[in-house]
Amino acid sequence: MTASSARADLPDVQLSPGGPFGVYIHVPFCVTRCGYCDFNTYTPAELGGVNPDAWLRVLRSELELAAARLSAPTVQTVFVGGGTPSLLGGERLATVLAAVRDNFVLASDAEVTTEANPESTWPEMFAALRSAGYTRISLGMQSVAPGVLATLDRVHSPGRAVAAAAEALAAGFEHLNLDLIYGTPGESDDDLARSVDAAIEAAVDHVSAYALIVEEGTALARRVRRGEIAAPDDDVLAHRYELVDARLRAAGFDWYEVSNWSRPGGQCRHNLGYWDGGQWWGAGPGAHSFIGTTRWWNVKHPNTYAQMLAETTLPVAGFEQLNAKNRHTEDVLLRIRLRQGLPLTLLDARERERAAVAVDDGLLIGDGDQLVLTDRGRLLADGVVRMLLG
């Protein structure tokens, strides 16, 4: 694998044939920074002269350059993430999708998703998004327990996420995701159970549940280091995962990726593209892309991003070329997490021998020509990957 960093000239990239192609849009704006978050986001005080309208203008410039590089391929999925995309409001988010349509061919059945924070949504916004062509909303719920929300520095009220889900459903959205976080210091089993039950009762068709990770450089990490709160415990996290899984499966959800459950037909196609070998162009400050054998990432700060695009230069900070070994490692790492499993054909003879040991250990099961994680294997997915790769 070769890599380049700092401002970099992106080499020629060509889409590999077959598989889905998606566009990811990164919205860098947040009102406040949550204590656990290490995403590339900025509050108004950190942005200087960049505002949402200025960001929209330079985003359009990047999409124009991207389409020219790739000869405007057909886009199967669009995902607007952040940050807090819902801070843009319905009209600007409609403009984002229009910019994609103006530069690429959008498939007739394209999945178009935006993330949204419950506190920055309202019924008319959801109606505007549906009219613009968005098909899926992903709401950051995290928890319904006030103490958990306070520890995470989330500003929405405990019931707001469920209310926002109801508003999105009323606006005509058939696909709706609620994100949960489990393992927050001070969280009880009952706190998590009530959160999962609230998501189920909200009648959404998709739930994501992620173990809290204490990322270096965050306010949460500083609190843990000072001894104000305890770091998440691995055994507690495993127990909480099992609690989430049992409740969701009893309600008609099934896992399709280790941290994601859906009702039939509710899987997020854009995220499946990441896990199942798809390609995507990531536009916006700090966004990552993967085309062919090349992965690259944009400069992080919106001001630098805007300056480079003003010079008609792709805002690339660095790139790496994946060789066959790198790509194989990533295929195993990502595809083993899927309910559809890892194709045996991807493994060499020695890896198949290791897989047989994992089957004997109760971590994998053979499902035809696929290897699928068992319930116990899902708790140890990273370890299973290390076992397979040796």
Side-chain angles (χ1 to χ4, degrees), residues 362-386:
L363 299 171
L364 292 171
I365 57 173
D367 185 1
D369 293 329
Q370 306 287 113
L371 291 169
V372 180
L373 290 168
T374 63
D375 289 349
R376 178 168 168 262
R378 280 188 285 154
L379 296 173
L380 302 168
D382 291 343
V384 174
V385 171
R386 290 192 294 270

Side-chain angles (χ1 to χ4, degrees), residues 175-358:
H175 299 300
L176 189 59
N177 182 53
L178 288 174
D179 285 351
L180 299 173
I181 289 179
Y182 60 90
T184 301
E187 177 191 64
S188 67
D189 283 358
D190 184 59
D191 289 334
L192 181 57
R194 287 188 293 110
S195 298
V196 176
D197 290 348
I200 293 168
E201 291 163 9
V204 302
D205 66 346
H206 190 294
V207 175
S208 302
Y210 302 105
L212 179 66
I213 298 175
V214 180
E215 302 283 4
E216 276 303 314
T218 62
L220 182 65
R222 291 189 289 274
R223 293 184 67 190
V224 170
R225 191 163 51 246
R226 291 194 298 263
E228 295 176 13
I229 55 177
D233 178 89
D234 287 343
D235 290 337
V236 171
L237 292 177
H239 169 66
R240 297 275 162 76
Y241 180 88
E242 291 173 330
L243 185 157
V244 171
D245 184 56
R247 270 182 137 73
L248 287 174
R249 292 172 85 167
F253 290 78
D254 198 6
W255 73 282
Y256 72 95
E257 191 275 339
V258 168
S259 298
N260 291 271
W261 293 257
S262 74
R263 299 187 190 277
Q267 297 92 336
C268 178
R269 287 165 49 200
H270 185 85
N271 286 341
L272 277 171
Y274 294 148
W275 298 314
D276 202 23
Q279 300 169 91
W280 68 94
W281 188 290
H288 285 230
S289 304
F290 179 69
I291 302 291
T293 61
T294 306
R295 177 182 291 109
W296 70 93
W297 46 95
N298 284 350
V299 293
K300 286 190 170 184
H301 200 282
N303 289 333
T304 309
Y305 173 80
Q307 290 164 8
M308 293 181 71
L309 283 162
E311 300 165 1
T312 322
T313 301
L314 280 172
V316 177
F319 67 88
E320 59 185 3
Q321 301 279 17
L322 274 64
N323 58 30
K325 182 180 179 181
N326 304 141
R327 191 63 198 268
H328 174 70
T329 297
E330 292 202 353
D331 278 343
V332 173
L333 175 70
L334 295 173
R335 295 190 185 199
I336 197 66
R337 296 179 62 87
L338 292 171
R339 179 65 180 84
Q340 68 196 43
L342 174 71
L344 270 170
T345 54
L346 287 181
L347 301 182
D348 62 28
R350 295 185 68 181
E351 290 167 343
R352 290 190 187 199
E353 291 175 0
R354 298 181 192 121
V357 174

